[in-house]
Amino acid sequence: VLELYASVAALVALGVMSYSALAHARRLGSFADMVREQSVVARPLSTAIAVTVTGIEALVGGSGLLLVWLHVGDGAPLRVALIAVGCTYLVFAAYAAFLWRRRPGAPCACSGSSEPANAWTVARTSVLAGTGFFASVFAGTVLGQGLSFAEAMIVTFSAIAIGIMLWSYPDALHDPAELRLRLAMGRLR
Amino acid sequence: LSFLTSAVVLAWVAIAALAFAMSGLLRQIRILTAVVAPSGPRLGPALGSVAPPLTRGRDGEQARGMTLLVFVDDGCQSCDAVLERMAGIDGQLPSIGRRVAIFEGHATGFNKPGIETVWSAKEAFQAFRIPVTPYAVAVSAEGRIVAADAVGSSAAFDGFLEKIAQGESR
């Protein structure tokens, strides 16, 4: 049973990180703008930060997925990749928590959305860090020989479903304060 | 494949399909939001920024603790309710050192003890980028904006005060 959980956790963490890299790479310009608006790093650095973050996501997530696909060795390389994913998400969660508390209103640039960070952003990023670390403990069993075809199907589809949901949480559960304000303004003017 | 295994596979396929549908709906909501309420520059003053002066010249008095600003206008019914509420919090929130009512228009005869008033404050309305009235802004003793929100009713104003109080406790 553990190999089921470990496989789903690994695919979710690696998949969401790879998709995040794709989403950021597709709109690198607006990602850099959002980093600038967060006013955490010096303005001239924001483009460099955006490129670096996207690169780290692509490298860590992509290499992890490749390792799952290729089944290299006894899972040691995959373990390293999953620990790296966990650490990256831990840093992201800390950063999101900082934005949520200290930069209310600043775009989070999470899930490719310009919504400000909220409690759900921090929660789902922490969950993703947790799945990465959990899977790293059982890295050897991720989508291993012990799984039948049907079981591999279950693992894949549940990872897709859970990944999409975790990805959408910040967008789905944010407080529409700005929208309420604009609607109120539209009514009054 | 046993019946049960196939059923589990099918269930996860269905859940994944639902998740896809959800992300599609979220995308539609984002597009509809952009149509219904196009996003321009962010409304209201930016949190954490230094509060602009309320009036030219005299604004030098240093407040002990927080300053509570309420931006109001003539001919807005909810403004009166919020002003009434603001007069009623006398002493209830020790952190608020100064309460100011800022009117966009001319004198309406508003006079409540403990509340400073600023009349004809078009410039302050622009400087604070006030989108609607009544609008409440809390400024820290250091002169930074710690909270800002539209308060369309006395209940919304209470919520705003609660938010400030929570902000202090953390």
Side-chain angles (χ1 to χ4, degrees):
Chain A
V1 186
L2 266 180
E3 58 195 342
L4 166 75
Y5 293 141
S7 304
V8 172
L11 288 185
V12 165
L14 296 169
V16 171
M17 179 147 283
S18 306
Y19 188 73
S20 175
L22 264 178
H24 281 149
R26 250 184 10 197
R27 299 205 188 95
L28 208 50
S30 76
F31 182 31
D33 287 344
M34 288 186 220
V35 173
R36 199 165 302 130
E37 222 177 300
Q38 291 164 358
S39 59
V40 176
V41 294
R43 283 174 154 267
L45 287 177
S46 48
T47 307
I49 292 285
V51 172
T52 311
V53 169
T54 309
I56 290 175
E57 285 175 338
L59 182 74
V60 174
S63 66
L65 280 184
L66 208 65
L67 287 171
V68 171
W69 184 257
L70 295 176
H71 280 295
V72 182
D74 56 350
L78 181 60
R79 173 166 297 136
V80 174
L82 286 168
I83 289 174
V85 167
C87 291
T88 311
Y89 271 124
L90 217 51
V91 173
F92 285 180
Y95 189 75
F98 172 82
L99 286 180
W100 175 38
R101 280 324 205 180
R102 293 293 154 84
R103 296 282 188 282
C108 171
C110 316
S111 308
S113 129
S114 62
E115 288 304 329
N118 55 44
W120 288 104
T121 320
V122 180
R124 74 109 197 213
T125 315
S126 309
V127 166
L128 285 167
T131 55
F133 287 130
F134 171 76
S136 76
V137 177
F138 308 100
T141 64
V142 170
L143 280 184
Q145 304 302 321
L147 289 177
S148 70
F149 177 73
E151 285 164 340
M153 290 273 283
I154 293 171
V155 165
T156 310
F157 278 107
S158 56
I160 290 172
I162 293 169
I164 292 173
M165 285 190 257
L166 282 176
W167 173 263
S168 312
Y169 273 166
D171 216 8
L173 300 167
H174 68 87
D175 173 21
E178 180 81 5
L179 176 63
R180 257 191 280 122
L181 197 54
R182 284 185 191 281
L183 288 178
M185 207 172 71
R187 254 203 317 278
L188 291 174
R189 292 273 153 94
Chain B
L1 284 187
S2 77
F3 183 82
L4 208 60
T5 316
S6 341
V8 174
V9 173
L10 200 63
W12 275 110
V13 170
I15 295 169
L18 275 174
F20 261 118
M22 181 186 71
S23 67
L25 286 173
L26 281 173
R27 201 173 134 263
Q28 291 190 27
I29 289 174
R30 218 178 302 143
I31 292 168
L32 286 173
T33 305
V35 170
V36 172
S39 66
R42 248 160 223 288
L43 301 169
L47 297 181
S49 65
V50 176
L54 283 179
T55 51
R56 257 178 303 177
R58 139 203 113 80
D59 201 41
E61 45 188 304
Q62 192 63 40
R64 327 154 263 111
M66 222 184 297
T67 304
L68 178 63
L69 310 172
V70 173
F71 291 82
V72 284
D73 199 2
D74 316 330
C76 123
Q77 289 144 3
S78 46
C79 294
D80 297 336
V82 170
L83 285 174
E84 200 68 42
R85 195 50 144 223
M86 178 153 105
I89 60 163
D90 203 5
Q92 283 176 27
L93 282 164
S95 58
I96 294 176
R98 200 177 155 208
R99 286 169 292 163
V100 188
I102 299 130
F103 291 81
E104 191 168 21
H106 298 294
T108 50
F110 173 81
N111 184 18
K112 285 272 181 345
I115 299 185
E116 296 168 45
T117 46
V118 179
W119 309 104
S120 312
K122 283 230 160 24
E123 283 173 23
F125 269 71
Q126 276 169 14
F128 278 85
R129 294 190 290 173
I130 300 304
V132 281
T133 53
Y135 196 92
V137 176
V139 181
S140 71
E142 296 81 42
R144 286 191 182 273
I145 289 164
V146 288
D149 206 355
V151 283
S153 62
S154 52
F157 185 64
D158 286 344
F160 181 80
L161 294 177
E162 216 165 273
K163 207 165 71 180
I164 302 177
Q166 276 172 7
E168 276 157 12
S169 62
R170 67 164 188 258

